[in-house]
Amino acid sequence: MEAFPAPRLARDAAHPAAPRQSPAVPAPPERERLLSRALLDLASSADREPARHAACLIEYLGVLGGRPAPEVVAVVAGRPPVAAASGRRAEALRELEEQLGEGPLRDCLAGAAADEIPLEETGAARWPRFAVRARELGVRRVTALPLPAAGPEDEPAASGTEAALGALVLYHDAAGPQPPERAVPARALAEAAALHLRHRRVREQVRQLEHALRSRIVIEQAKGVLSERFGVTTDGAFGELRRYARSHQRSLHDLARSVVDRAAPDPFRKDARPPER
């Protein structure tokens, strides 16, 4: 998993909800205003890169949770995944999970349900080695929030648990549960971040489908050109197009484009042996 430097709070147009300092939990009206702006920014910033998205999630959580805030790790899945950590202890815990092969972050990325987990009880049973090491670092409780790949409006997965698009894990020094003014923003921010990632995934799928459609259209056009040129069937023209692309180590789409654009007529005349009808 690729590490990402711990972010610093910023006050700029890209992060309108982040003040210079947040010494305590904001008053309810101010917290609601900041939360609304943070949710909108996380959910709607379509062009934000995954690493910056993870860092922004941590920044907003620090602002809305007040001080002292728990250390946090946010991960956006991908190849490779990217991670942001709010402090050295959080980064050390993330690396510890990689070494041990167990922990709340790994469970979140696998699609486990959101949960608040005391390390001396549930955590010790679920991640025995991680829990011991985390307690040595002063952590008594974790909040594990997956960034789900499916929203409440989506159909449930046909089978099994779908891997999450990311994860948000908070490490608490206190053993007791978080107060609502801390817990609610964390869950809301995680869902907004997940919404952004789901939209990003859909846009990528649409781009891939559009590219495949354009490629298919060009290949069909090239088949027609070669069929007319050599007096063969379109299936025979496609076979010749594919044979030539393989023997000359060219992509089928690029070769088809050159045929349609009349940029490569000679090689086919010299090398191609049109199949019989």
Side-chain angles (χ1 to χ4, degrees), residues 48-80:
R48 180 175 291 155
E49 291 300 316
R52 186 57 191 156
H53 192 58
C56 287
L57 179 54
I58 288 180
E59 291 178 8
Y60 284 135
L61 185 60
V63 170
L64 290 160
R67 298 290 183 268
E71 289 195 46
V72 187
V73 164
V75 174
V76 175
R79 297 183 179 178

Side-chain angles (χ1 to χ4, degrees), residues 177-193:
Q178 294 186 93
E181 61 268 22
R182 293 185 186 275
V184 171
R187 294 175 184 273
L189 291 170
E191 181 54 43

Side-chain angles (χ1 to χ4, degrees), residues 33 50 58 62 82 92 102 105 113 119 170 196 216 224 226 232 239 241 267:
R33 184 184 69 84
I58 288 180
V82 294
E102 65 178 36
L105 184 58
L119 289 181
L170 292 72
H196 162 90
R216 188 71 238 175
L226 294 178
V232 296
L241 186 70

